[in-house]
Amino acid sequence: MLRGLYDWTLSLAARKSAEWWLAFIAFVESSVFLVPADVLYLPMALSRPDRAYRYALIATVASVLGGIVGWFIGHYAYDAVARPILEFYGKYDDFEQLRSSAGVSIEFIALMLVTSGAAHLPPIKVVTILSGALGVNLALFIVLAIIARGGRFLLLAWLLRRYGEPIREFIEKRLGLIVGAAAVALILLYILIKYAL
């Protein structure tokens, strides 16, 4: 199922309505969808490097708006909407453990938004729903989401404009690992500072 969903999302890049699809995928990824917007963003930006930053802006705005929906789901419709979504993805138990953790603070949510924006660790939908469930200030959440998601898409735009097609394999296979390792290091550093000092 996941491979079919991935292939379908990738096929949208060739359509005339690709920008609308990019906005839609980025929007739903931030609250309920499994496939990241990068799957659509990368081929679009590679085929039209002159529009890479435009696509990055579209993806950022749509992703932040979707994140706001995720926040509202977590804050106002946790049992009715968020729980079934998390159960569908097999993330409910992990989410509940994180939600009930006394160590979750605004700093940790901010760090999770940044690492999710950079490396999809944890998935953005989990962070947006958790932010709402914990009652994170919505204005602060929006600012952090803009920084996290905008940073990712603008970095991809810059890499694709600068290096073109040769960077694609690096982005698809290695950039996530590198950024993911950095994200894990940031989380561990945060935990070390928070609890050791």
Side-chain angles (χ1 to χ4, degrees):
M1 177 183 112
L2 182 59
R3 184 64 200 186
L5 194 57
Y6 178 89
D7 291 340
W8 173 77
T9 305
L10 188 59
S11 75
L12 299 173
R15 297 184 183 185
K16 288 185 179 189
S17 58
E19 286 185 8
W20 290 104
W21 281 109
L22 175 61
F24 176 74
I25 298 297
F27 180 87
V28 296
E29 174 204 0
S30 293
S31 52
V32 295
F33 195 52
L34 189 59
V35 178
D38 305 37
V39 171
L40 187 53
Y41 174 79
L42 290 174
M44 287 175 64
L46 283 169
S47 67
R48 294 290 308 267
D50 57 312
R51 291 188 177 182
Y53 287 107
R54 174 184 170 142
Y55 298 151
L57 182 61
I58 290 168
T60 299
V61 169
S63 182
V64 170
L65 291 173
I68 293 169
V69 169
W71 186 96
F72 275 95
I73 289 171
H75 195 73
Y76 294 109
Y78 181 75
D79 288 326
V81 179
R83 183 177 179 157
I85 291 169
L86 293 166
E87 286 173 344
F88 177 77
Y89 290 123
K91 300 290 183 189
Y92 178 73
D93 292 335
D94 295 337
F95 183 89
E96 276 301 308
Q97 185 178 19
L98 189 58
R99 182 179 174 206
S100 63
S101 170
V104 175
S105 64
I106 188 60
E107 296 89 6
F108 190 69
I109 292 290
L111 183 59
M112 286 184 12
L113 271 170
V114 170
T115 59
S116 179
H120 301 294
L121 296 172
I124 190 70
K125 70 194 82 14
V126 171
V127 182
T128 62
I129 292 171
L130 179 63
S131 297
L134 294 176
V136 171
N137 178 283
L138 182 58
L140 177 61
F141 169 80
I142 292 169
V143 169
L144 293 171
I146 290 169
I147 293 168
R149 301 304 280 173
R152 177 179 183 78
F153 288 116
L154 290 172
L155 173 64
L156 291 174
W158 180 80
L159 287 170
L160 292 169
R161 288 288 305 260
R162 176 107 166 106
Y163 300 105
E165 181 66 37
I167 199 72
R168 181 180 186 167
E169 182 179 343
F170 173 80
I171 289 171
E172 289 177 342
K173 294 186 178 175
R174 293 181 186 87
L175 184 63
L177 291 174
I178 292 169
V179 176
V184 168
L186 280 173
I187 290 171
L188 291 174
L189 181 62
Y190 169 81
I191 291 170
L192 180 67
I193 291 171
K194 175 100 175 165
Y195 296 106
L197 299 177

